[in-house]
Amino acid sequence: IRKKEIIRSKNAAEEKLKILSLAVEQNPACIVITSVDGSIEYVNPKFTEITGYSEEEALGQNPRILKSGLHPDEFYKDMWQTIISGKEWIGEMQNKKKNGEIYWEKALISPLLNESGQIMHLVAIKENITEKRRMIEELIVARDKAEAGDRLKTAFINNISHEIRTPLSGIVGFSEMILSPDISTESKTAFNDIIKKSSARLTNTISN
C-alpha cells in the first residue's frame, strides 16, 4: 500500500510538473529565467519568436543583448536595484531584436527566493506591446489634430464674425442716420458712400 501511495504521489507530481512545463513553453508571453548575476538559463519559444535569438544563442548570455540604448543608465540601475532588493519590477522598455528592429515590451521581473529568503533566480515575463503603443500614439496624434482643428475653427469663426459685424454695423448705423430729417445733403452723400463701401466689404468677405 505504501509503495502504491508513493507511485501515485510520484505520478501526480510528474503530471503537475508536465502541466507547469507546458504552461511555460506555450505561454503567449516571453519568459526568461536567469541566474542571480543575470546569465540566461532558460527562454521559452515566444522569446525566440519575438527577439529572433534561438535558445542556443540566448543561453549563457546576459539580457543586455536586447538592450536598445534608448534608455538612460539610471533606468537599468533602478530596475536592478529593485530586483536584487527582493521586489518585483514592472515597467515598459524599448528593446532591440537580433535583426536590429526596435520593439516595446511590458515586463514583470521578479526574484525567485529559497526557503531562507535568498534570491536563487530571476524570472522575467514580458509582453510585446509594440502594436498597442503604435495604436496609442496614433490616437494621441488624432486627438491633437482634432483639438488643433477645433482651435482653428474657433479662430476662424471669431475672425469671420468680426469681418462681418464691422461692415454690417456701418450699414445699419448709417442707414438709420441717413433717414434723419435734420442732416444735410452733404452728410447724406457721405453716409451713402460709407454704406456702399461697407456693403462692398461685406460682399467681398462673404465671397472670399
Side-chain angles (χ1 to χ4, degrees):
I1 293 174
R2 177 62 178 163
K3 185 176 180 181
K4 287 182 178 179
E5 289 177 350
I6 293 173
I7 292 173
R8 188 160 50 246
S9 297
K10 181 182 178 183
N11 290 340
E14 288 177 349
E15 181 64 21
K16 184 177 181 181
L17 183 62
K18 181 180 178 181
I19 293 172
L20 290 174
S21 178
L22 288 174
V24 173
E25 288 288 323
Q26 299 178 15
N27 201 290
C30 173
I31 298 177
V32 181
I33 300 176
T34 75
S35 61
V36 179
D37 63 3
S39 179
I40 296 176
E41 297 180 344
Y42 170 83
V43 294
N44 70 342
K46 195 67 176 181
F47 173 90
T48 296
E49 179 185 330
I50 293 175
T51 68
Y53 288 99
S54 66
E55 181 180 5
E56 292 76 16
E57 290 173 319
L59 294 180
Q61 296 287 343
N62 189 286
R64 282 193 297 268
I65 59 174
L66 303 175
K67 191 173 180 180
S68 65
L70 299 174
H71 297 287
D73 292 339
E74 290 76 15
F75 176 85
Y76 298 102
K77 183 178 180 181
D78 174 71
M79 178 198 301
W80 183 249
Q81 290 296 328
T82 300
I83 298 167
I84 62 174
S85 67
K87 300 176 184 177
E88 291 182 344
W89 183 90
I90 302 176
E92 297 180 359
M93 69 180 82
Q94 286 181 287
N95 279 338
K96 184 168 63 175
K97 299 181 181 182
K98 182 181 178 181
N99 63 6
E101 180 183 343
I102 301 296
Y103 68 103
W104 277 96
E105 280 188 327
K106 182 175 183 180
L108 186 155
I109 306 174
S110 58
L112 287 181
L113 310 177
N114 61 16
E115 295 178 355
S116 302
Q118 294 177 315
I119 299 175
M120 303 300 294
H121 299 278
L122 304 176
V123 178
I125 301 175
K126 305 187 287 182
E127 177 190 4
N128 187 344
I129 59 169
T130 305
E131 187 63 20
K132 290 181 181 179
R133 295 277 306 201
R134 184 188 64 78
M135 291 176 63
I136 290 172
E137 289 172 359
E138 288 180 353
L139 287 172
I140 291 173
V141 170
R143 182 203 64 190
D144 291 343
K145 285 183 177 179
E147 290 177 350
D150 284 340
R151 289 193 295 270
L152 287 171
K153 181 179 70 176
T154 300
F156 173 76
I157 290 173
N158 290 338
N159 187 52
I160 286 297
S161 176
H162 171 75
E163 290 297 320
I164 291 176
R165 284 176 184 273
T166 300
L168 191 58
S169 296
I171 294 170
V172 173
F174 285 102
S175 293
E176 293 176 354
M177 294 174 64
I178 204 171
L179 296 175
S180 175
D182 300 328
I183 63 170
S184 65
T185 303
E186 290 181 357
S187 295
K188 287 183 178 181
T189 301
F191 293 165
N192 187 56
D193 288 341
I194 293 173
I195 292 172
K196 286 182 179 180
K197 289 179 180 178
S198 296
S199 298
R201 177 179 174 183
L202 181 58
T203 301
N204 188 53
T205 296
I206 294 172
S207 296
N208 289 336

